[in-house]
Amino acid sequence: MVKQVSAAHILVKTRDQAEDLKKKVSAGENFGELAKKYSECPSGRKGGELGWFGKGMMVPEFEKVAFEGKEGDVVGPVKTQFGFHLIKILGQK
């Protein structure tokens, strides 16, 4: 059972923008560079990296997807009160 996740994310205002960015990632563009360019979260400056977090540390919609995905996956768009996220799962333990 996964107890902690390390993830990076890109936060944007619209689903369309998140889906466009997901296509870019799928085509081989660098997730971290896209986060630096497009993310509206302060973590964007660090390539979207959020570090390790446990259950109850993120909003429920974000947490659910981060804990259900597999290491290396890019999942989303995930809608939260902050906007739309693409989440890259960097590690699980």
Side-chain angles (χ1 to χ4, degrees):
M1 183 175 145
V2 176
K3 295 192 185 318
Q4 286 191 312
V5 172
S6 174
H9 78 136
I10 301 172
L11 174 65
V12 293
K13 290 194 185 315
T14 68
R15 180 177 297 277
D16 287 344
Q17 189 178 16
E19 288 174 352
D20 287 345
L21 289 167
K22 189 168 186 178
K23 287 177 191 164
K24 290 178 185 231
V25 171
S26 295
E29 290 195 44
N30 182 281
F31 188 94
E33 292 303 313
L34 291 170
K36 287 177 186 176
K37 188 171 182 180
Y38 295 104
S39 186
E40 297 184 19
C41 179
S43 68
R45 289 191 298 268
K46 300 183 293 177
E49 290 197 29
L50 298 168
W52 289 96
F53 55 89
K55 296 222 175 187
M57 295 177 69
M58 298 291 176
V59 293
E61 306 89 341
F62 187 101
E63 179 181 291
K64 180 179 188 307
V65 172
F67 277 82
E68 287 178 355
K70 293 184 178 67
E71 191 171 326
D73 285 354
V74 174
V75 292
V78 176
K79 186 179 188 320
T80 71
Q81 75 251 34
F82 303 107
F84 292 86
H85 307 258
L86 286 185
I87 305 166
K88 182 170 186 178
I89 300 167
L90 304 174
Q92 295 176 322
K93 59 183 179 180

